[in-house]
Amino acid sequence: MAGVDALLLSRIQFGFTIAFHIIFPSFTIGLSAFIATLELLWMRTGKPHYQTLARFWTKIFAVSFAMGVVSGIVLEYQLGTNWSRFAQMFGNTLGPLFGYEVLTAFFLEASFLGIMLFGWNRFPPWLHTMASIFVALGTALSGFWILSANSWMHTPAGFAMENGITIPVSWFEIIFNPSFPYRFTHMMIATYLTTSLVVAATGARYMLDGRFRTEARAMLHMGLGMLAVLAPLQAFVGDLHGLNTLTYQPAKIAAIEAHWDGSKPAALVLFAWPDAEAERNLAEVSIPGLASLIVTHSMDGTFKGLKDFAPEDRPPVWPVFFSFRIMVGLGVLMILTGIIGVSLWWRKRLDQARWFMQPLARAWPAGFIALLAGWMVTEIGRQPWVATGVLRTRDAVSPVAAGAVMTSLVLFVLVYGVVFSIGIWYINKMIGKGPQPSLPGPETLPNRPLAGGRPAQAQEPAT
């Protein structure tokens, strides 16, 4: 283990496990809202394809939800095993927020999830729709509490220090800390964008194959409509979030822009390789003054550069710099996809536009990649702090041997690789099978998510 310490391995382990975890809750937050919308449309219009789609996506939701729960439990254990100093210092402040998530979000989801998954034809449509709405509300509440806790780590507020431990002073300030409104809004829109792109890509896939055309059109129209509305809105919210970050975490903004000299207006660096040792950018391609215009809303505006911070207080530049550009680049593509798609739909040319459908059918991973890139910007950009200005990451790690962390990391990689590969394969198999119409007659067996990948002719009658 020469040259590798427990701190680095613990960071790699937590980064690996949370990167897996963040994908599934983000998808289920957006997907639960989509399912609830489909059921409301079904009740309002009586059109059966809305019910067919709701049943179809509910099975995919069930598998994604299960993988999200499993991967999330591991993260909380790591707070005790790998980050005991973090848990000791912030347990009084952040522990209750996790508890509130269980008491509100998990209890709400658990109360209605059974009806949502297994209550087709067992409960009146209005009750099943209400259950789906409450599950969607529960997933959003879960995001509320987790993002509140995460935002507090970026912008701590409402606490006092006693004997090296944070003591809550104002729960309102803790929950609604300075960065929370921006981070929560930004993340929730990201979840809906991710789901919208998956839905639109699935509709495009079926349309290209000539299958489920009615359902495919509904998915295309709803997915592209959400992209056209939410993707530009996300750019606006992202700008507000950036201004908030400039106020509370200026070093992160400097790393995002690879901006070294804060004494002069900043250029927008389109491409470069930031050299931390030389404190400059190599092979830079930039537009003078444009970063100042974006960040300060003035071409002549200035903001702190990386040289304004001691080297030990600077975040790693290149991962933040490149991750931000990946996120923004994919966001621009989502904006264009929504605008072009809605334009084709408006002109009644969407069904015939194979040049548009073919790349759209393969674009489903883009939202997940943008989510992970944004998470890397947020969390790596916070370094070297685990809680900004309060506790450094190096001081939060548990006193464990590097070998023990390495062993658990290897096991996590192996187990996650097997379990989640099977889960993702199964979801893809269900999507390949497609939305099956309801069969006549009473339902004799539960609407089992794990039966979703079986051939249609081999399944028991179910609606």
Side-chain angles (χ1 to χ4, degrees):
M1 301 305 299
V4 182
D5 60 12
L7 171 60
L8 177 59
L9 290 171
S10 294
R11 291 180 64 186
I12 293 172
Q13 184 180 111
F14 197 83
F16 172 79
T17 51
I18 201 172
F20 268 90
H21 173 68
I22 195 174
I23 291 173
F24 298 106
S26 299
F27 184 46
T28 54
I29 288 172
L31 191 56
S32 60
F34 177 60
I35 292 168
T37 302
L38 286 170
E39 293 203 47
L40 286 170
L41 289 172
W42 168 48
M43 288 191 62
R44 179 181 178 184
T45 66
K47 295 180 179 179
H49 68 273
Y50 288 127
Q51 185 198 28
T52 300
L53 283 173
R55 294 179 64 93
F56 168 66
W57 285 107
T58 296
K59 294 179 180 180
I60 295 172
F61 170 85
V63 179
S64 301
F65 185 85
M67 290 193 290
V69 170
V70 170
S71 59
I73 292 173
V74 173
L75 296 175
E76 298 200 9
Y77 277 111
Q78 285 184 67
L79 295 180
T81 59
N82 292 20
W83 304 98
S84 59
R85 179 55 181 155
F86 170 89
Q88 179 185 19
M89 179 175 284
F90 301 129
N92 291 338
T93 306
L94 297 183
L97 300 186
F98 298 137
Y100 297 152
E101 181 199 9
V102 173
L103 290 173
T104 58
F106 282 1
F107 281 17
L108 187 62
E109 293 167 9
S111 299
F112 293 96
L113 189 60
I115 297 176
M116 178 182 176
L117 296 181
F118 306 113
W120 299 97
N121 287 3
R122 287 174 166 78
F123 296 96
W126 68 266
L127 181 57
H128 194 278
T129 301
M130 185 184 71
S132 298
I133 292 172
F134 278 122
V135 169
L137 178 60
T139 60
L141 277 173
S142 181
F144 175 93
W145 292 112
I146 292 300
L147 287 167
S148 175
N150 178 262
S151 297
W152 186 90
M153 294 163 64
H154 288 265
T155 52
F159 72 99
M161 294 292 297
E162 292 185 11
N163 301 319
I165 296 175
T166 57
I167 304 299
V169 173
S170 170
W171 282 110
F172 183 87
E173 292 181 14
I174 290 172
I175 296 170
F176 297 97
N177 56 82
S179 66
F180 169 71
Y182 305 94
R183 198 179 313 279
F184 176 68
T185 305
H186 193 61
M187 186 63 185
M188 293 301 291
I189 294 175
T191 66
Y192 298 137
L193 281 173
T194 299
T195 302
S196 298
L197 194 55
V198 172
V199 169
T202 305
R205 173 178 172 178
Y206 294 150
M207 193 65 73
L208 288 170
D209 293 342
R211 302 190 299 155
F212 315 112
R213 297 186 70 86
T214 301
E215 289 82 3
R217 286 192 188 94
M219 286 188 281
L220 280 168
H221 295 169
M222 295 176 73
L224 292 172
M226 289 293 285
L227 284 175
V229 173
L230 291 182
L233 178 62
Q234 182 73 312
F236 173 73
V237 173
D239 178 64
L240 296 178
H241 192 188
L243 295 176
N244 177 266
T245 304
L246 178 65
T247 300
Y248 293 97
Q249 295 176 296
K252 182 188 294 187
I253 293 294
I256 286 172
E257 302 297 339
H259 178 49
W260 298 94
D261 187 356
S263 65
K264 57 185 179 181
L268 178 63
V269 181
L270 302 177
F271 176 82
W273 184 264
D275 187 339
E277 292 187 3
E279 297 184 332
R280 65 190 182 93
N281 297 326
L282 305 177
E284 179 178 311
V285 178
S286 60
I287 302 174
L290 190 54
S292 287
L293 178 63
I294 295 172
V295 174
T296 69
H297 295 178
S298 171
M299 289 286 289
D300 299 325
T302 59
F303 57 93
K304 288 184 177 181
L306 288 162
K307 292 182 181 179
D308 294 317
F309 302 92
E312 64 272 17
D313 293 335
R314 301 173 189 171
V317 182
W318 71 264
V320 177
F321 174 82
F322 285 112
S323 297
F324 182 79
R325 276 143 188 80
I326 292 171
M327 179 187 68
V328 171
L330 290 173
V332 171
L333 289 177
M334 290 181 200
I335 293 173
L336 294 175
T337 299
I339 293 174
I340 294 171
V342 169
S343 176
L344 290 170
W345 173 21
W346 182 264
R347 291 182 291 166
K348 302 184 185 303
R349 297 181 182 178
L350 185 59
D351 290 5
Q352 294 76 37
R354 294 185 66 86
W355 60 269
F356 178 74
M357 295 285 192
Q358 287 174 345
L360 177 60
R362 295 168 175 81
W364 64 268
F368 297 107
I369 296 171
L371 270 171
L372 290 174
W375 169 79
M376 291 180 68
V377 171
T378 298
E379 301 306 317
I380 299 177
R382 182 181 60 196
Q383 298 304 314
W385 302 98
V386 68
T388 305
V390 181
L391 180 66
R392 291 181 181 269
T393 305
R394 67 169 183 250
D395 299 323
V397 71
S398 299
V400 294
V405 183
M406 175 62 83
T407 301
S408 60
L409 173 58
V410 171
L411 291 174
F412 276 130
V413 172
L414 292 175
V415 173
Y416 274 49
V418 173
V419 173
F420 291 103
S421 293
I422 293 173
I424 293 170
W425 168 82
Y426 188 73
I427 289 175
N428 187 61
K429 186 175 181 180
M430 285 194 290
I431 291 176
K433 177 186 172 183
Q436 302 299 316
S438 302
L439 298 177
E443 184 176 48
T444 58
L445 290 175
N447 182 43
R448 297 170 296 164
L450 294 182
R454 297 171 55 185
Q457 63 270 24
Q459 291 192 62
E460 298 87 346
T463 56

